[in-house]
Amino acid sequence: MQFPELPKKPFLSVYKPQYIVFVIVGLILDLTSKYIIIKKMQAYESIPVIGDFFRLSLTFNTGFVFGLFQNNALPSLFATSFAIIFLIFYRWSNSDLGNPWGWNLVMAGAFGNLSDKFFVKIPGEGFRFGFSPERPGIEFIGVVDFLDFEWPDFLLFERWPAFNVADSCVSIGIVLLLITMDWKEEAKKK
């Protein structure tokens, strides 16, 4: 079995120090916001911020995107880890594809949600390292989601699934990448 070759460009020419710092700051902002919510709220509590349009609602996503396939924390952990490794090498191999800040936002969000999966959450108290709650119903696993917005009933969901800072980074990063990627030019190079 032969492993694929590493990209020719030096790693730090693609992942410049300022980009790495940006990803770390995004990770810290995400985990800090989740920690504050866990300390201040109880599980499944909802606090209106702008009436019913925007609420802070503490939920735990043990599945995948949009809360699909709940109660799959371990497969979700492996899928997220694989996605991050793939994205690191894809970006390293295609360094000219898309805006680097779009990539940085995606990576900050991916690392934020991955890191969150390594902790058991104890609402009102904080969290501890681990993958399974010792006191079910009091301790929770999964990614902390808390930004809860109203959504038109006729568009898939009654409310938009709650999300977090990391999810926001990923979404904004993907939009930025889609806007800035020149797919036709990349196809011509091959």
Side-chain angles (χ1 to χ4, degrees):
M1 181 175 150
Q2 184 179 0
F3 288 101
E5 286 185 32
L6 291 176
K8 302 285 187 237
K9 282 192 169 186
F11 184 81
L12 290 177
S13 72
V14 176
Y15 290 99
K16 297 177 181 176
Q18 63 267 32
Y19 297 167
I20 294 171
V21 168
F22 180 87
V23 170
I24 292 169
V25 168
L27 169 68
I28 290 168
L29 287 174
D30 177 61
L31 294 179
T32 301
S33 67
K34 290 172 180 174
Y35 179 76
I36 291 169
I37 291 295
I38 290 169
K39 288 285 285 184
K40 301 287 183 188
M41 295 181 71
Q42 293 302 311
Y44 309 108
E45 178 183 3
S46 192
I47 302 170
V49 176
I50 303 175
D52 209 32
F53 172 72
F54 171 54
R55 305 182 298 208
L56 294 176
S57 300
L58 178 55
T59 63
F60 306 95
N61 182 353
T62 58
F64 294 87
V65 178
F66 296 119
L68 298 173
F69 309 112
Q70 287 297 306
N71 301 318
N72 285 293
L74 202 54
S76 175
L77 174 71
F78 288 122
T80 304
S81 300
F82 177 78
I84 287 174
I85 292 167
F86 173 80
L87 286 173
I88 287 171
F89 281 96
Y90 185 82
R91 165 90 171 103
W92 192 3
S93 299
N94 300 281
S95 59
D96 297 329
L97 190 59
N99 183 295
W101 294 104
W103 286 107
N104 297 338
L105 282 164
V106 169
M107 295 307 290
F111 277 111
N113 279 338
L114 176 67
S115 300
D116 194 11
K117 294 177 185 191
F118 286 90
F119 296 96
V120 173
K121 289 71 175 181
I122 310 157
E125 295 180 30
F127 54 81
R128 64 176 170 75
F129 182 79
F131 298 100
S132 61
E134 293 172 1
R135 302 174 293 168
I138 296 171
E139 298 181 349
F140 301 87
I141 59 170
V143 172
V144 172
D145 288 326
F146 59 91
L147 301 170
D148 180 9
F149 284 90
E150 182 68 48
W151 185 254
D153 287 351
F154 61 90
L155 295 174
L156 295 176
F157 310 102
E158 187 174 316
R159 289 189 71 81
W160 189 256
F163 58 99
N164 56 48
V165 174
D167 297 335
S168 300
C169 288
V170 169
S171 298
I172 293 167
I174 287 173
V175 169
L176 187 57
L177 287 172
L178 290 173
I179 291 170
T180 60
M181 283 184 172
D182 189 354
W183 299 97
K184 293 176 187 167
E185 193 62 37
E186 193 63 26
K188 286 180 189 175
K189 290 180 185 176
K190 294 181 179 184

